Amino acid sequence: FYTAPFSVTLATETKGAVIYYTLDGSEPYDTTGRGRAPSGMLYTEPILITTTTKLCAKAIKPGWKLSNVRTKEYLFLEPDIQNFSSNLPIAVIDTFGKGVGQTTETQTLSFAGFIDNNARGRARLTNTPDFMGKAALNIRGKSSEGFAKKQYHLETLNENNTDKDVSILGFPAESDWVLSAPYSDKSLMRNFLTYKWSNDMGQYAVRTRYIELFLNTNGGGISMDDYVGVYILMEKIKVGKNRVNISKLEPSDKTEPDITGGYIVKKNKLDPGDLTFNTSRGLSLIHLEPDKEEITKEQMDWIKNYINEFEAALYGPNFTDPVDGYAKYIDVDSFINIHILVELTKNIDGFRLSTYMYKDRGGKLVMGPAWDYNLSLGNADYLEGWIPTGWYYPLISAGDYPWWRRLFEDPEFQSRYADRWFVLRQSLFDTNMLLQDIDDVVDLLGEAQVRNFDRWKILGTYVWPNWFIAQTYQEEIDWMKDWLQERLAWMDTQIATEFATAPPLFSRQGGRVNQGFNLTMSASFGT
């Protein structure tokens, strides 16, 4: 990022070559051979750069092969932004005057920069970036497409505009990223919290970091007019050693055991061109990985048949058999973990949409990763989302809630579910610990949320599908915390009543104690 004009010198090591260049990102030399004058300008002296510029240059020598195009992006900071700082990392994306498309097929070539907090805990636009480079950008999301604050898919690129794995803000290197835009969720944290809680449980969810984002699409310098608020940088769900860590299927994998993994499928609203299949019970699923460009017919048939075999076992007469029943096909603990997350938060998109599953080579079908929890923790005015009591799953159809109804007919599954819940409640999901997680995010967002709601003046107004409409940010937080406490208490009672006797609570967990220590026990869960 630059704050003052400067000059750029171009050179080539090839003697007798000349250089053509452009300042708008276009091809710097006409290679069509149709007699037109060369495009761009002939380089004769240093180029003065005074504003945001995309400089492209190519060396030419008669009778020789043309050089590759070299591209450099120079981004200028307007005076009103040069002293901007934040306790969060800062991201800047510049499209050089172009709009942003709606799909991955209409991605806009861009330049992205991320500045991390320094040792003193603040990020400044004039600091050395953690990452700067070429990128492609498109709007993402279904219902959120209509919001003023857009969500984006960011793809990092190399000089040839193909995927480039990079590390951003300490994340493992990859090329696909999500810029999540909390908007209807005025706490700004429902996705952030749920992914944290999932990872705390040992169930992989995408890594996240809060950022403040500037998006410049007008072609000029970057200014405060380009500020678009608090975002969450997130990993995109995909196969990778640091993401969904399963084997990558190749087109040549046509027989077992190679063809048995890895797959990612999802249950969601359809995008144009999605490749889908229906299971024997009528469940419609989308092939995510391998994607529609790479997956073979043999692989499509294999994963469909595997899920059909699971459904046959699940709905068969011996479905509770631990060897030949449903447990032969699925990772039961992952199904329990995801169910608990959906019901704990009463996620209105849960089960029905944004539901992911994956299968590794030689492994079982795993439910997850958790995804899209912005309509949770009371943030919905339909399907009783605002009410902290009552199970969510009876409110949706059998087609929207596949498999779990049958699973809960197994007493062993019920017992494992209750055991998992109460173990979590005495550790990771202790009420005070969950409330502290919320308070920690409030502290982190203290100054940034003020700027966010100054940019998006939605406090005190209805944004679909809000039930509670607070006048202040703190009121939003207080209401959500009250909702969560009521939800936890209700689930304690309900699980102890429906599934299993709640275990006793110890006044202190195990470990070293002083001689004469008195241990007390109580039966507080559900009583």
Side-chain angles (χ1 to χ4, degrees):
F1 301 116
Y2 295 89
T3 59
F6 60 93
S7 293
V8 174
T9 300
L10 306 181
T12 173
E13 295 179 355
T14 304
K15 293 181 180 180
V18 296
I19 299 172
Y20 280 83
Y21 70 95
T22 60
L23 299 176
D24 60 3
S26 63
E27 182 77 16
Y29 193 74
D30 180 4
T31 60
T32 60
R34 289 179 288 185
R36 296 191 307 207
S39 58
M41 295 167 280
L42 178 65
Y43 174 76
T44 58
E45 60 184 2
I47 304 164
L48 182 63
I49 306 294
T50 61
T51 187
T52 293
T53 301
K54 190 172 186 178
L55 171 59
C56 297
K58 178 182 285 189
I60 296 98
K61 183 175 181 178
W64 289 51
K65 182 180 178 181
L66 301 179
S67 79
N68 293 328
V69 176
R70 290 294 303 275
T71 303
K72 293 294 180 184
E73 294 88 351
Y74 306 100
L75 277 58
F76 272 73
L77 305 177
E78 297 294 345
D80 68 340
I81 201 179
Q82 291 177 12
N83 293 321
F84 181 87
S85 71
S86 174
N87 67 307
L88 303 179
I90 304 170
V92 178
I93 301 175
D94 201 307
T95 66
F96 300 95
K98 296 180 180 178
V100 182
Q102 296 278 341
T103 67
T104 53
E105 286 74 26
T106 58
Q107 286 183 316
T108 302
L109 290 178
S110 311
F111 191 79
F114 288 80
I115 300 95
D116 206 348
N117 319 56
N118 61 22
R120 296 182 179 178
R122 297 203 68 80
R124 300 180 185 276
L125 286 167
T126 51
N127 290 356
T128 301
D130 174 74
F131 165 78
M132 291 193 78
K134 298 182 73 171
L137 192 70
N138 66 274
I139 296 171
R140 63 172 303 277
K142 302 291 192 303
S143 303
S144 62
E145 283 184 351
F147 291 154
K149 186 181 182 183
K150 305 297 184 185
Q151 301 194 74
Y152 300 99
H153 167 227
L154 181 74
E155 192 170 355
T156 49
L157 307 175
N158 61 21
E159 185 72 18
N160 298 319
N161 296 334
T162 57
D163 288 0
K164 179 181 180 181
D165 291 347
V166 301
S167 175
I168 300 178
L169 301 181
F171 287 16
E174 253 291 355
S175 62
D176 288 294
W177 310 90
V178 171
L179 297 172
S180 177
Y183 188 68
S184 68
D185 171 19
K186 297 170 191 172
S187 76
L188 307 175
M189 67 178 72
R190 284 175 166 89
N191 274 327
F192 182 91
L193 287 171
T194 309
Y195 301 161
K196 178 188 184 300
W197 294 339
S198 182
N199 280 313
D200 287 347
M201 295 167 71
Q203 180 99 6
Y204 167 75
V206 297
R207 297 171 180 85
T208 56
R209 281 198 73 179
Y210 280 105
I211 60 174
E212 291 195 78
L213 177 63
F214 292 82
L215 176 61
N216 183 21
T217 60
N218 61 21
I222 302 160
S223 71
M224 283 305 301
D225 290 340
D226 302 313
Y227 178 79
V228 288
V230 172
Y231 275 68
I232 307 174
L233 173 68
M234 305 192 317
E235 297 172 321
K236 183 180 179 181
I237 294 176
K238 63 184 293 188
V239 172
K241 66 178 181 179
N242 294 303
R243 297 203 176 173
V244 180
N245 188 14
I246 58 178
S247 301
K248 184 170 179 61
L249 267 170
E250 302 295 340
S252 58
D253 296 329
K254 297 182 179 181
T255 58
E256 296 186 13
D258 296 340
I259 200 172
T260 65
Y263 299 90
I264 303 180
V265 298
K266 65 178 179 177
K267 185 174 185 286
N268 203 10
K269 295 178 182 178
L270 295 180
D271 283 325
D274 275 345
L275 185 61
T276 65
F277 66 98
N278 291 324
T279 72
S280 59
R281 303 288 297 190
L283 178 64
S284 180
L285 297 173
I286 302 167
H287 290 286
L288 186 65
E289 290 211 40
D291 64 22
K292 61 184 178 181
E293 305 297 334
E294 297 180 343
I295 195 167
T296 66
K297 184 178 186 305
E298 292 91 346
Q299 292 163 356
M300 289 189 289
D301 290 342
W302 195 93
I303 189 61
K304 178 179 179 179
N305 290 337
Y306 183 89
I307 295 177
N308 284 342
E309 288 177 15
F310 157 59
E311 289 185 335
L314 178 64
Y315 293 97
N318 299 317
F319 78 106
T320 63
D321 188 295
V323 176
D324 295 320
Y326 68 80
K328 177 181 179 180
Y329 297 93
I330 66 170
D331 181 291
V332 176
D333 290 337
S334 70
F335 276 66
I336 289 172
N337 285 338
I338 291 296
H339 195 283
I340 284 176
L341 281 173
V342 172
E343 287 293 353
L344 165 66
T345 61
K346 206 170 186 180
N347 179 21
I348 299 306
D349 278 347
F351 307 131
R352 307 182 304 124
L353 304 167
S354 299
T355 298
Y356 288 77
M357 293 160 269
Y358 62 89
K359 186 190 178 302
D360 199 2
R361 187 167 296 160
K364 298 180 181 182
L365 187 68
V366 177
M367 184 61 64
W371 188 253
D372 197 5
Y373 277 67
N374 59 306
L375 303 186
S376 68
L377 295 169
N379 186 35
D381 62 1
Y382 63 102
L383 289 176
E384 300 184 6
W386 69 95
I387 302 175
T389 59
W391 293 113
Y392 168 61
Y393 70 84
L395 305 176
I396 56 181
S397 69
D400 283 337
Y401 183 66
W403 307 333
W404 274 289
R405 279 191 174 91
R406 180 64 165 171
L407 290 170
F408 275 108
E409 292 178 15
D410 178 13
E412 175 63 22
F413 185 88
Q414 291 185 22
S415 179
R416 287 178 68 169
Y417 188 93
D419 287 346
R420 179 61 168 156
W421 171 256
F422 289 118
V423 166
L424 289 169
R425 288 288 284 131
Q426 294 180 67
S427 53
L428 298 171
F429 285 5
D430 173 80
T431 301
N432 289 331
M433 289 185 67
L434 296 182
L435 295 178
Q436 186 61 54
D437 286 339
I438 295 173
D439 289 340
D440 288 346
V441 179
V442 170
D443 290 343
L444 179 65
L445 299 181
E447 64 174 88
Q449 61 86 10
V450 175
R451 289 188 286 265
N452 181 83
F453 291 115
D454 185 55
R455 174 64 178 85
W456 308 105
K457 300 182 186 301
I458 56 176
L459 289 175
T461 64
Y462 174 81
V463 177
W464 180 89
N466 296 158
W467 167 262
F468 179 74
I469 303 172
Q471 299 301 309
T472 68
Y473 181 66
Q474 190 59 51
E475 287 178 14
E476 288 280 353
I477 299 302
D478 291 342
W479 188 87
M480 184 176 69
K481 290 171 68 174
D482 289 343
W483 188 97
L484 177 59
Q485 291 179 85
E486 290 187 49
R487 184 67 175 168
L488 290 165
W490 181 85
M491 287 185 67
D492 285 341
T493 300
Q494 204 65 23
I495 292 174
T497 302
E498 288 189 33
F499 300 148
T501 302
L505 285 176
F506 290 5
S507 61
R508 180 166 176 173
Q509 299 304 311
R512 184 175 180 178
V513 297
N514 294 326
Q515 187 175 11
F517 166 74
N518 289 320
L519 174 68
T520 61
M521 293 178 283
S522 61
S524 62
F525 281 128
T527 61

